Structures are given as C-alpha cells and as structure tokens.
Amino acid sequence: MTHDVVIIGAGMAGASLAAELAPHAGVLLLEAEDAPGYHATGRSAAFWSETYGGPGIQPLTTASGDALRSGGFLQPLGSLHVGRAEDRAAADALLQAFEDAPVTLEAVDPRDRLPGLRDGWTVGVWEPSCAYIDVAGLHADRLAVARAAGARVMTGAALRSADRRDGVWRLNTAAGAVQACVVVDAAGAWADGVAAMCGARPLGIRAFRRTVVQLRTDPRPPVGLPHVADLAGRFYFKPEAGGRLWLSPHDETPTDPCDAAAEEIDVALAIDRLENVVDWRVEAVERRWAGLRSFAPDRLPVYGYDTRMPDFFWCAGQGGFGIQTAPAAGQMTAALLRGTGDMPAGVDAEAYAPGRFG
C-alpha cells in the first residue's frame, strides 16, 4: 500500500498537520517512540503567549488563539514581564516590537502585581492575553481528529533509511517498510537527520535543552499570580495546581537530539534566579525535567516543500513555540502541502518557506 502522505513524527506538529490533512488524503504518522509526544510536546511549560518568540512567531500564535479558546484549551493567566532599571530599554523594545500587532501590552509597575518582589525590580510590561494551554488535551484531540478521518499512527517506527524511486518514497522503519507519495519531516530535533536519510540537504536545525522544575515555596504562589518573565531572558515562572510553581532558567544549551534530562547546575541556577526576584523560600524541588527545542538558523519555523528534493515537505524548527502555534501551523501546512485550502488570517507563509535558505 502506498500512502498519500507519511508524516515522520507524531508530536504536536505532525498530529496537527495530520488532523487537517486526513480528511483529504491517506495519512500515516510514523513515531519513533512507543507513544506520540514523548519529547518536546510532552515536556512543554504549557503557556500561550503572543509575544513569546517575537514578531516572527506572533502571527501564527495569534491566528491560533480562536481555535484554542473555542476548543477549551486555554485558561486565563496573564504575563508580567519584569526587569530592573537597566532593563528599561528591553521593556521599550518589547512595547515597540508589537505596537502595530493585535497584541495588548501595557507598561506597569510590577510591584502592584507581584507580591514579594525584591527591591530594584521596578520595570514591568503587562500582557493580559497570556494563558495556560492544555498541551496534553490539545495533542490528544489532534490525534483523535486525525484518526477519525482515517489517519493511522505507527509507533516504535524510527526511520532507518529512505529512498525515492519512480515517484514513490520507500521508507524502512523499525516497525517495517512503508511507501508514500509525499514525506513530511515533522521530526523535531531529529529533523535534519531525517532530511539527510531522505537525501535532502539539512538546513542547520539544531537542538537545545530547556530545563523546568516544579517547586514548593513558602509562601505559596499567591492566588492570581500571572506568568512572570524576565525582560533580560534569564527566567520565567508560573503558578500550577496545588499551589506549586513551575520555573525555568530560560536555558538553551546546545545538545545532540536525545532523551533530555535536567542537570543539577541548571536546577540550581533557576532557583538562584528566582530567589533574586522574590523573597519566597524554596522548600522543595518536587520535579525536574528538560525538553528539546529545535531551531533553524534564523529561529523561525520551516514549512513547505523542499526546493531540491521532490515530494519532501518540511514541518520543523518550531523552537519552543510549536504548541502555541499548532492550530494555525497545521492549517497552513495542510494548505501548502495540498496546494489548496484556506490559509490562516494574517500569516505570510513565505516567511517560513524552506527556500529562504537558498
């Protein structure tokens, strides 16, 4: 059997594309792990922010908002960007970067919104639209929609080799051989490796480790605490169920694609940075984990057909923004792959095309 489309990677990117594509084509999702979403998708810090990733990501995030809200995947949170006097320029730059975008931002005094804030933290920007995002629920929904439309998911199916003959892709996987007319590379941190196996030129997509810890603090995070992000990019934290706090040192440590794990130095760094912002005492580190973020050289995702390899389609390089942009990215990539269909409003697909790398 030759499938119309084989998508390599069943994380959020692959599942979102499959949900949009399956009503129109025969789709097979190949997942290297025993369950979809094991790496980046399953380790997300789980917030939706229109400013996160900068102006190049914002159109996809904003265009995803209505679908996420109507699906019940967003819950109000808000984000407070904080800094010291020396971060005033960063605050001004943030406000300026989005002044022409449909994103509400307001300069505020952070002491009015963050109890326990230490002296010196006097600069603030308020982003009211920031929200919790139900990552597991969204991923499960996209897989369910895809399956209901006829898509199949094959797990434990790491790609071993690939070749294209007579207009047909022949893929050798750990779960057996499959054939397809089109191959989609939605392999996250492994995207360049998949491309190389398929004979396409790698684009320089690199993996980076991001650390998150769950803390018990004294006092507990106050009711109504928003997501809090450092204007200088050294940390972010947000409240979680049970009065816990999720904290990241906002690290991006280059790494080979792997099953990432938190390192003690990064956990200690995160706690040190938190204790320099607020006067809360860390009572316990209850959980720690790390996920992989994968970026193209210009830090924008790569969506579209490869310019040199026929019937090889990129859906990769989402960085840490693939969850919050998933609905719009799924709609856009399905339209690009099919050559027809509605594009998300306000999104310029050319900005993410593989051809920008030459």
Side-chain angles (χ1 to χ4, degrees):
M1 174 182 180
T2 299
H3 300 83
D4 294 327
V5 179
V6 165
I7 300 172
I8 301 175
M12 190 67 80
S16 297
L17 172 56
E20 296 285 342
L21 191 61
H24 310 284
V27 175
L28 173 66
L29 278 159
L30 296 181
E31 172 55 51
E33 304 295 342
D34 292 335
Y38 178 75
H39 291 286
T41 298
R43 307 181 197 193
S44 168
F47 64 88
W48 181 88
S49 165
E50 291 178 280
T51 64
Y52 196 46
I57 301 297
Q58 174 268 316
L60 285 168
T61 306
T62 300
S64 297
D66 285 347
L68 292 170
R69 280 185 286 268
S70 63
F73 301 114
L74 296 184
Q75 297 296 325
L77 176 62
S79 182
L80 179 64
H81 304 261
V82 299
R84 298 178 180 272
E86 59 265 29
D87 300 315
R88 177 71 64 184
D92 292 341
L94 177 63
L95 292 165
Q96 184 176 7
F98 294 95
E99 63 181 357
D100 294 325
V103 180
T104 299
L105 295 174
E106 176 189 1
V108 297
D109 185 338
R111 293 167 291 192
D112 296 336
R113 297 173 184 262
L114 182 53
L117 190 62
R118 293 191 183 276
D119 291 342
W121 293 86
T122 57
V123 179
V125 175
W126 176 240
E127 180 184 346
S129 62
C130 182
Y132 290 104
I133 183 168
D134 179 0
V135 178
L138 177 62
H139 187 227
D141 175 82
R142 295 294 80 195
L143 288 172
V145 169
R147 284 175 167 133
R152 294 175 51 228
V153 180
M154 183 183 295
T155 57
L159 184 66
R160 291 174 170 168
S161 64
D163 69 274
R164 184 176 180 273
R165 299 193 306 271
D166 301 323
V168 176
W169 284 99
R170 292 166 174 82
L171 309 178
N172 179 31
T173 82
V178 299
Q179 294 188 167
C181 297
V182 176
V183 166
V184 175
D185 186 351
W190 288 262
D192 263 7
V194 164
M197 274 193 277
C198 292
R201 180 173 64 90
L203 299 182
I205 295 174
R206 297 195 61 192
F208 298 84
R209 187 178 68 247
R210 168 62 52 88
T211 305
V212 183
V213 295
Q214 178 173 299
L215 304 175
R216 189 173 73 245
T217 62
D218 180 20
R220 290 191 174 191
V223 175
L225 178 73
H227 171 271
V228 178
D230 180 25
L231 282 161
R234 295 164 295 199
F235 62 81
Y236 58 78
F237 56 88
K238 70 185 182 81
E240 283 297 314
R244 274 30 180 190
L245 195 76
W246 280 13
L247 166 69
S248 173
H250 207 262
D251 51 332
E252 281 188 3
T253 305
T255 182
D256 291 332
C258 63
D259 186 358
E263 298 193 359
E264 288 298 329
I265 185 63
D266 295 320
V267 173
L269 183 64
I271 293 171
D272 179 69
R273 290 178 178 177
L274 174 70
E275 291 177 338
N276 278 283
V277 181
V278 291
D279 62 7
W280 312 339
R281 183 173 63 87
V282 174
E283 291 186 326
V285 176
E286 296 184 329
R287 292 175 55 207
R288 65 193 74 194
W289 67 95
L292 296 181
R293 304 153 62 81
S294 51
F295 289 98
D298 61 2
R299 294 181 70 87
L300 292 179
V302 186
Y303 297 129
Y305 280 104
D306 190 86
T307 56
R308 294 179 175 87
M309 177 57 67
D311 298 323
F312 183 84
F313 189 95
W314 290 89
C315 184
Q318 290 91 352
F321 326 114
I323 308 297
Q324 66 180 35
T325 61
Q331 179 186 357
M332 180 178 69
T333 50
L336 290 171
L337 195 148
R338 296 175 59 219
T340 186
D342 294 333
M343 299 291 286
V347 176
D348 176 13
E350 192 62 29
Y352 313 112
R356 70 186 190 269
F357 297 110

